[in-house]
Amino acid sequence: MRTPVAIIGAGPSGLLLGQLLHTYGVDNVVIEQRSADYVLGRIRAGVLEQVTVDLLHEAGVGQRVQAEGLLDDHFVIAFNGQVHNIDLLARTGKRVTVYGQTEVTRDLMNARAAAGLSTVYEADDVALHGFDGSSPYVTWRKDGVEQRLDCDWIAGCDGYHGVSRASVPADKIQTFEKVYPFGWLGILADVPPISHEIVYANHERGFALASLRSPTRSRYYVQCSLQDQVSDWSDDAFWAEFAARLPAALADKITTGPSIEKSIAPLRSFVAEPMRFGRLFLAGDSAHIVPPTGAKGLNLAAGDVGLLSRALAEFYKEKSSAALDDYSRRALARVWKAERFSWWFTTMMHRFPENGAFGARMQIAELDYLMSSEAMQTAVAENYVGLPL
Ligand code: FAS
Ligand code: PHB
């Protein structure tokens, strides 16, 4: 088998890259280690930047997000028992769209199948070969049979634990990492959300986040210990802690109900440099991770594949590799700014016992200043709606 571009991973990065390349007339094959159902079963991001929505439209899969996505023109910050708005539309002229990553993935999977594009699910022992030369190829085992795909380029869209970044020789890659001393316990429940806007709460008991997937489905999080297990948290325990961390005006709006998904995610900041190694490009979580506080993970992944798809299209249509040669620099410039915002927002909103009473006061002082400064609110708003590609 042969294809111009082999894409490793059928998460949002891999599927969006595949769809954009198809739109630009560049054939590609996606190779995924899990089943489609398994990929769809992961509950992750919920907020899309306009750049991401525009890319979904460019890829021909913008219909449902246009029809069902909820437009938010502000988000909420709660602290000291008070509720404050960060007015995105007034500060930037832009909004964010609330639409779950699961639905983005579903739309991309359906479009890929409708276009008759080749996707290999449940591929075992995926391995990358020859990407330091001019004849890269990918091998895997499917139903016990060894397979090989020759290609011009490999796109490593296989996430933080994938094989792509791990295939790069250690002396050719530099990584930067910060692991946070807590996790997020997330719950999905078919109950009406307390707000159609995203609510971020700084509280002495710990951080809480209120989000949604639709007017009837809520997505809530509380900061938890890394020693916690999901089994330590009954639904009742979650609802009680969630309410305790919100101002009364918001806690009174909580409708409780049984969880349909409950999971704990660790938080880290991570970047691998560069994002290109010969004929291998890294995109999305394979190259970088942000703490989800700033709702940047999925959006950074979309930005990477927006740049990479256009650069690959230029290579095939105009026989120029200029944009490919500049991909890593351009992608990393945007990645590091999102890493900064996500780190700053996480540091400001979560409880860090090791920082003591002074550290807690510095957080409140930062929040007080934010709410008193139009300049700072504009800076926060332009990072939250997403920086230009
Ligand atoms: P993904 O990890 O989504 O996809 C990679 C794909 O590659 C997977 O399907 C995997 O099975 C496959 N793969 C892995 N190894 C492979 C191999 N060897 N061979 C073939 N395939 C392989 N972001 C937000 O903005 N907000 C959030 O609230 C949020 N919550 C998150 C919660 C969790 C638990 C995690 C892990 C991430 C969260 N994120 C969040 C970030 C998340 O949304 C990512 O940014 C997004 O999934 C990135 O998409 P991909 O780069 O496609 O990586
Ligand atoms: C979500 O809806 O899952 C979500 C929203 C905003 C965030 C993180 C997660 O910052």
Side-chain angles (χ1 to χ4, degrees), residues 5 12 35 62 69 79 100 104 133 144 162 179 220 223 229 270 277 331:
V5 183
S35 69
F79 66 99
V104 172
V179 178
Y220 297 144
Q223 173 184 350
Q229 305 290 320
F270 173 84
F277 308 90

Side-chain angles (χ1 to χ4, degrees), residues 267-278:
L267 272 66
R268 77 177 74 243
S269 299
F270 173 84
V271 180
E273 289 187 359
M275 290 172 58
R276 175 191 186 175
F277 308 90

